[in-house]
Every structure is written in structure tokens, then in C-alpha cells.
Amino acid sequence: MGPELHTGFMRTDQYLIRWIRDQKFNLPAAKSKLLRSLKWRKENRIDRVLQEDFSKILPLCPFDLSSRDNLGRPVLTINAGSCPVRKILLAGDLDTLRRAVYHSAEKMVSILNSAQQDEGANITDGISIGNAFGFNIKEHGCIRCFPIIAEVLILYEEHYPEYLYRAFVINMPRIAETVLTFVLPFLSEKTKSILRIYGYNKAEWSLELLKLIPADQLDAQFGGTKKLSNRNITSTRITLKPKSFSSTQA
């Protein structure tokens, strides 16, 4: 399947083994899933997304990828609850929001590729932290808003296998459990095992985050001391015991 793997890093053993491990070394299944993802990439022009401008969306839905954990893994932080999904939808910018999410995933891949190829670091995955504070049914639970939220949760499962070591969601209100109830059946047990979902008990979730990430790599809303003057989705500067899906409410 050489011609389909048109980007250099896709031809590396490190990239291909992700799909094989994801499908438990079932080669036909791994090839089938990879081909579906390559088709998705082509249909959604993913190879162009890193060059696109998201300055219109970033002030509303801040992302940051400038932090690193104790081992040097990239940390993606997302202000998910403050993102006015319904407002963006009504303004006709939902596709831009969707592509901003793709951009953050591709940037994670770019950082990991750079760490492996240029720095020689043995870093193969990253961490994501979504702050759900501010989630409400009107802004995030409308009929047309719901699919984009579900798509974000499923994105790494379908198109970025083994790129996340942990996926945290903090300040998750009980009302948002509807989203999880809908999405979880579509996730593999392996993906569920990296999820860590917490309610409003900051003492609880900050303790878990700080086991993996230095305080100076997280700003205050994520339990750290870092000061971010401007959250930048394009930042690339390199400098728990998993068992099963875990949900903890305050």
C-alpha cells in the first residue's frame, strides 16, 4: 500500500506499528482501518490543516500544546466547556471548529515526529486534558452541537491510534454524562482504559495530573502554576496505573 502512504512519516515502522498494535496484530484488520483513515484524510484535506488559520476560533475555544509532562511528552490542554459550540454553529463556523480540532491532533503528531526524528527522543504518545467547566445543555447539547462533541471524542480512536497515553476530562458535570453514554459504546476497551474523567473536586484531579505533569507546565485552571499569556494551538517548542475506563465525580 505504498502509494497511499504519501507522507514520509507514514512509511516509517513507528507509524505502521501503531495500527497493527491497535488491531491486536490482526494485519488485515489493521490495513483496513488504516485505509479508511487515509480515505478520511484525503476527503477532509488533513495534509493542509497545519497551514490553515484558526485565529477566529482560538479566542473562543483555546487550545495549547506548549507544555510537556515529566517524560517530555506533549500535553494538549483544551478549554472545552467554555467553547460556545452553538454560537459557532449559528455563525456558520462549525466546520472551522472541526478543522481546529483536526489541527490540534496533527500538531500532536508533528511534535512527536520531531521529537523522534530530530531529537532522537523515545516519545511516542502524549496527554490531553479537557476542562469541561461551563458545559451546559443549551450551548453544548443541542441536536446539531452534539455530533461535533462526539466526533472529538472518537477522533483519536479512529484516526490517531496509540497517540495518547492518557486523556483526562476535568470538571465534568453530571448533565454531560449523556454525551459519554452515547459515545462510550463506540470506543474500544483500550481507548476507554486511557480515559480519566473527574467532577469538580480539584484536589482529586489535580493530584492525578501533577503525578504526570510538572506544576510549571500547567496553568491554574489545570492545577498548576504556569502562566499562559496567549494560548496558541500552533506552539511546538520541544524542550496512574491504567486498567479500565474511570469516571470520578465530586
Side-chain angles (χ1 to χ4, degrees), residues 146 153 172 176-185 195 197 245 247:
F146 190 83
L153 294 173
M172 173 73 89
E177 290 181 356
T178 303
V179 177
L180 290 176
T181 300
F182 177 81
V183 174
L184 285 176
L195 288 174
I197 299 179
F245 167 70
S247 177

Side-chain angles (χ1 to χ4, degrees), residues 125-143:
D125 49 19
I127 294 174
S128 71
I129 313 171
N131 185 358
F133 185 83
F135 182 98
N136 65 84
I137 290 297
K138 179 180 178 181
E139 197 63 54
H140 305 96
C142 68
I143 294 176

Side-chain angles (χ1 to χ4, degrees), residues 5-195:
L5 303 175
H6 57 282
T7 304
F9 78 89
M10 290 182 177
R11 300 190 185 100
T12 64
D13 292 341
Q14 294 95 323
Y15 180 75
L16 295 175
I17 196 64
R18 293 179 184 277
W19 300 87
I20 296 172
R21 284 199 304 251
D22 177 69
Q23 294 300 302
K24 298 179 180 178
F25 294 88
N26 182 326
L27 296 184
K31 180 178 180 179
S32 178
K33 184 173 182 178
L34 175 55
L35 287 174
R36 289 197 305 272
S37 185
L38 291 172
K39 180 181 179 182
W40 168 82
R41 292 182 67 89
K42 183 176 181 180
E43 292 174 346
N44 290 279
R45 311 180 312 282
I46 300 300
D47 290 345
R48 305 178 188 176
V49 76
L50 289 179
Q51 284 73 51
E52 295 177 15
D53 179 18
F54 297 100
S55 57
K56 186 176 181 180
I57 289 292
L58 280 178
L60 300 174
C61 307
F63 296 80
D64 182 75
L65 255 169
S66 64
S67 298
R68 301 293 176 264
D69 77 352
N70 292 323
L71 299 180
R73 288 179 293 221
V75 178
L76 169 65
T77 55
I78 310 168
N79 285 26
S82 65
C83 183
V85 179
R86 184 172 181 272
K87 178 181 178 180
I88 292 171
L89 185 154
L90 294 176
D93 292 325
L94 193 59
D95 188 59
T96 303
L97 174 59
R98 178 181 285 108
R99 294 191 66 74
V101 174
Y102 299 163
H103 185 290
S104 69
E106 285 293 299
K107 185 56 64 177
M108 174 80 79
V109 172
S110 176
I111 291 172
L112 290 170
N113 287 341
S114 177
Q116 293 170 359
Q117 297 172 13
D118 301 335
E119 307 290 332
N122 185 25
I123 299 173
T124 61
D125 49 19
I127 294 174
S128 71
I129 313 171
N131 185 358
F133 185 83
F135 182 98
N136 65 84
I137 290 297
K138 179 180 178 181
E139 197 63 54
H140 305 96
C142 68
I143 294 176
R144 293 179 62 194
C145 303
F146 190 83
I148 181 63
I149 297 174
E151 182 179 344
V152 170
L153 294 173
I154 296 173
L155 179 67
Y156 278 86
E157 165 86 11
E158 290 297 312
H159 305 297
Y160 298 92
E162 308 230 343
Y163 274 103
L164 286 179
Y165 172 71
R166 284 286 186 276
F168 291 93
V169 181
I170 60 174
N171 296 320
M172 173 73 89
R174 292 193 180 279
I175 198 170
E177 290 181 356
T178 303
V179 177
L180 290 176
T181 300
F182 177 81
V183 174
L184 285 176
F186 295 94
L187 301 180
S188 68
E189 291 303 315
K190 186 172 185 178
T191 297
K192 292 176 187 177
S193 74
I194 72 171
L195 288 174

